[in-house]
Amino acid sequence: FSLSNLSDFDPKKDIKNELRIEDRYVIYRLNKILILIRDSYNNYDFISIVKAITNFTIELSQWYFDIIKDELYCDSYNSLSRRQSQTTIYYILEKLLLALNPILPHTCEEAYQLFNKLNKKQSINLEEFPETLDVVFSDNELNMMKNFFKLKDEIYNKLEIARQDGLLKKPN
């Protein structure tokens, strides 16, 4: 998903510094995951790393990737919202490839070779461990996102009940 949606993304000119609240929230969450991953590596707790990355990927698939699909597939190539989404995907891919590399070196190397990364080295194994990104996320914005997820879960539950009752069909 990430590599294919970055195929027309040139980080030298397309990275956006002004991101929307949902993009900044994803990066805020990514930073939390990176801190947990670094601590887990220091404690040789590899299963926690895999679980954290798996859970984060599931979390992204449950809402973020779903809401940005229209921007990625329908908006003009250079639209601001599309480039903001791509910037976020770029950071996710960059950081998680580097974080997962000690566990899955061959897979990460293959993906890295296809990744259009700024200051790319000859191999992912020559890269430094990923650092967190600077992101400003206020308590008010965090509360807004918590309310968003609460509302999203309520809506998804109602939709599932409607599907079970035969009022809606599952989308393909």
Side-chain angles (χ1 to χ4, degrees), residues 32-49:
K32 298 285 186 193
I33 300 299
L34 289 172
I35 292 166
L36 185 145
I37 289 170
R38 182 179 294 276
D39 291 345
S40 296
Y41 271 123
N42 288 336
N43 293 313
Y44 302 99
D45 184 8
F46 303 116
I47 193 69
S48 292
I49 296 163

Side-chain angles (χ1 to χ4, degrees), residues 31-149:
N31 283 342
K32 298 285 186 193
I33 300 299
L34 289 172
I35 292 166
L36 185 145
I37 289 170
R38 182 179 294 276
D39 291 345
S40 296
Y41 271 123
N42 288 336
N43 293 313
Y44 302 99
D45 184 8
F46 303 116
I47 193 69
S48 292
I49 296 163
V50 173
K51 283 182 181 178
I53 292 173
T54 300
N55 290 339
F56 184 58
T57 304
I58 291 168
E59 176 187 328
L60 291 174
S61 296
Q62 288 177 334
W63 74 277
Y64 183 70
F65 291 156
D66 196 40
I67 65 172
I68 65 171
K69 281 181 186 172
D70 285 343
E71 296 161 354
L72 294 171
Y73 303 143
C74 301
D75 286 6
S76 68
Y77 282 112
N78 290 315
S79 75
L80 177 60
S81 62
R82 187 168 187 275
R83 292 302 189 205
Q84 289 169 321
S85 296
Q86 286 179 307
T87 297
T88 305
I89 292 170
Y90 174 88
Y91 289 137
I92 293 166
L93 182 60
E94 175 190 38
K95 302 302 182 180
L96 293 185
L97 272 179
L98 295 172
L100 198 53
N101 185 50
I103 296 172
L104 286 172
H106 299 291
T107 304
C108 291
E109 181 67 40
E110 186 176 345
Y112 182 82
Q113 292 306 318
L114 298 170
F115 183 35
N116 185 16
K117 182 186 177 305
L118 280 174
N119 304 313
K120 187 174 181 176
K121 309 267 193 263
Q122 185 176 359
S123 170
I124 193 171
N125 297 310
L126 300 173
E127 294 280 356
E128 297 290 325
F129 194 81
E131 297 293 330
T132 57
L133 296 158
D134 289 332
V135 62
V136 177
F137 208 77
S138 69
D139 289 338
N140 184 44
E141 289 174 318
L142 190 56
N143 285 331
M144 286 173 54
M145 292 305 296
K146 285 179 184 177
N147 289 333
F148 163 77
F149 288 117

